[in-house]
Amino acid sequence: MRNAGFGALAGLVGGMVFGGVMVLIGFLPTVAAIVRTDSPVVGFAVHMLLAAIIGSVFGVLVARQRELLFWGLAYGVLWWFLGPLTLLPILLGRPVAWDVATAQALIPSLLGHLAYGAVTAAVLALLSPAERRLEPGLVVRATAAGLLTAPFLGLGWRGLIVGALVGASYAVIFGERGEGSGPALIRGAGFGFAWWVLAAVTISPLLDGRGLQWTPAAVRVAVASLPGHLLLGAGTALLTCWLGGLARAVFSDDVRHALEGRLVGGRVISIWHGVIAGLAGGLIFTGVMVAVGFLPAVAALVGSGSAIVGLVIHLLTSQVVGVTYAILFRRRSFDPASGIGWGASYGFLWWVLGNLTLLPVLLGATPRWSDAALALAFPSLIGHLAYGAVLGLVYQRLEERVGPWHLTRSEAATARAAARHEQTLSAAPALWSLVTCVALLIPILVS
């Protein structure tokens, strides 16, 4: 009851923010239609009641979670699917609105649900008794990481400001995680998406005097900066993690942290696992590339137009990406679900970094970040998600079979189960869900 009460209170605060948005977009009469009226006042009352109920459910669901931001964002997207796209039409006697055109018209509602989830999670975190400590050294490292990452992404002078803010806020919100480079990379990408909604979609139009621009057309224009924000968040988190590791290596005499959580064997065997898993994922991805005729474009990297040459380059690239996955995510997958989750998220990030950014640059063009380019690259996104899922699953199954010499099979299984439990209490499952939702939203944002 305590968790439900705190959740209801947090939901009311989130509902107030969302309610202000609904006033601006004129959506309250639609909500009021649930009780057979079109009064905005009644609509606001119904909206706040629903916000409190949904918030109480959220409070119960995340009672044992240690961080809430990504759970709140994923919860907001979930209720956008369940609410205006599904339950609201049913309550109004209409068919469910599961088509791209209706979903695109409800983009303002999507952004409002994201704001509701983020605010509800923030208030609930403030109400929880967890101890929080601001680490000035981490803030400096993360801010420096954001400033170092921003110039490479072509976001303009505002990009430097956003980079510094992304880094500083990353340190304040998440603190020193000690989760490894791979999970930090995905966390940063999720955080970059949140900052895209906040900075590019919301604050930037307000600073330009255009008011709140949450219309489908305005969001479609802002999509051009989405890849940059995703890479900014990912790069900031990764560089912050590396700078922290460098600081510990230079200034710390305690090396026990380097031995913690060692559930698998050496790095060399891990790299071979990455090669095998990358090849498996590449073979799956090949079917998509053949279907859309993309292999000649890959062959153009070496000045050829042959599909055979493209296939060879594609499989070699798949293995290289698999090796990077092994390096970044070693000892971070404790069951098939976590393997698929990290792998699919990594595949999505490589769609942004590879297909949309590095490939056109290597071919002598500029990054393909426009809404039209993202729409054309959607088949490649499906292929990258499939590649990542297979990569993560195969790597996890291979890694699970190799244990350190000093642990018996039962001890290794116990340690792995404990690590899996710790990961479940973190934001990892919410990150996997949020990244998947962002991938599924691409056609809606760019149509």
Side-chain angles (χ1 to χ4, degrees):
M1 293 300 295
R2 175 178 175 274
N3 296 326
F6 280 170
L9 179 59
L12 286 173
V13 179
M16 289 293 294
V17 175
F18 191 7
V21 175
M22 297 181 80
V23 170
L24 293 177
I25 64 177
F27 199 70
L28 288 177
T30 303
V31 178
I34 297 176
V35 291
R36 302 300 185 267
T37 182
D38 60 356
S39 169
V41 176
V42 175
F44 186 79
V46 173
H47 162 72
M48 292 301 294
L49 176 62
L50 294 175
I53 294 173
I54 294 172
S56 66
V57 174
F58 181 69
V60 173
L61 291 176
V62 301
R64 297 185 179 182
Q65 301 300 320
R66 294 171 182 166
E67 53 180 298
L68 301 178
L69 174 62
F70 294 116
W71 285 108
L73 292 173
Y75 192 65
V77 177
L78 172 65
W79 270 104
W80 179 68
F81 281 110
L82 289 178
L85 291 178
T86 306
L87 296 178
L88 182 59
I90 291 175
L91 292 174
L92 297 178
R94 306 169 186 166
V96 294
W98 289 355
D99 58 276
V100 173
T102 304
Q104 188 178 37
L106 289 172
I107 282 178
S109 177
L110 167 64
L111 298 174
H113 278 83
L114 287 170
Y116 169 81
V119 172
T120 301
V123 174
L124 194 57
L126 292 174
L127 293 174
S128 64
E131 180 181 354
R132 296 176 181 85
R133 183 179 63 183
L134 183 63
E135 302 178 31
L138 176 61
V139 175
V140 172
R141 293 198 305 270
T143 303
L147 287 172
L148 290 172
T149 305
F152 295 97
L153 302 176
L155 298 178
W157 65 269
R158 286 184 179 177
L160 291 175
I161 299 176
V162 173
L165 292 175
V166 167
S169 59
Y170 181 89
V172 171
I173 293 175
F174 302 117
E176 194 74 68
R177 304 304 309 171
E179 60 188 353
S181 300
L185 191 70
I186 304 305
R187 177 189 296 275
F191 197 54
F193 170 73
W195 263 99
W196 173 73
V197 175
L198 180 63
V201 179
T202 305
I203 295 179
S204 182
L206 292 175
L207 292 178
D208 293 339
R210 291 180 286 142
L212 187 65
Q213 295 290 310
W214 280 8
T215 63
V219 171
R220 188 164 57 249
V221 173
V223 161
S225 64
L226 174 59
H229 281 83
L230 293 172
L231 295 178
L232 173 62
T236 299
L238 183 62
L239 193 54
T240 300
C241 181
W242 286 353
L243 291 175
L246 179 62
R248 288 191 297 271
V250 173
F251 299 109
S252 176
D253 294 328
D254 188 354
V255 298
R256 288 175 295 178
H257 67 274
L259 304 176
E260 293 175 356
R262 180 160 293 182
L263 303 179
V264 296
R267 297 181 183 274
V268 174
I269 189 68
S270 180
I271 289 175
W272 280 111
H273 289 165
V275 171
I276 296 171
L279 181 59
L283 291 174
I284 297 297
F285 195 178
T286 300
V288 176
M289 300 188 78
V290 171
V292 299
F294 197 70
L295 288 175
V298 177
L301 290 171
V302 293
S304 172
S306 169
I308 300 298
V309 174
L311 176 62
V312 173
I313 296 175
H314 161 66
L315 293 178
L316 289 175
T317 304
S318 298
Q319 294 175 68
V320 171
V321 174
V323 170
T324 64
Y325 181 87
I327 294 173
L328 295 173
F329 290 89
R330 183 168 175 262
R331 304 194 309 266
R332 301 301 170 185
S333 301
F334 308 112
D335 56 15
S338 62
I340 293 174
W342 290 129
S345 301
Y346 194 59
F348 172 74
L349 192 58
W350 265 102
W351 175 69
V352 177
L353 179 61
N355 186 274
L356 300 180
T357 308
L358 293 180
L359 180 60
V361 169
L362 292 175
L363 293 176
T366 58
R368 296 195 292 257
W369 287 0
S370 67
D371 57 321
L374 265 67
L376 291 174
F378 185 71
S380 176
L381 171 59
I382 301 301
H384 277 82
L385 291 176
Y387 166 82
V390 174
L391 167 68
L393 177 61
V394 173
Y395 181 81
Q396 187 277 327
R397 302 306 292 173
L398 291 173
E399 187 181 58
E400 188 179 37
R401 296 176 178 273
V402 180
W405 63 269
H406 56 84
L407 290 180
T408 65
R409 185 176 297 273
S410 60
E411 288 175 326
T414 300
R416 189 170 284 108
R420 180 171 61 245
H421 177 68
E422 288 296 312
Q423 190 176 78
T424 302
L425 296 180
S426 72
L431 274 171
W432 308 332
S433 302
L434 181 62
V435 170
T436 302
C437 288
V438 173
L440 294 176
L441 289 172
I442 293 296
I444 297 172
L445 298 176
V446 302
S447 293

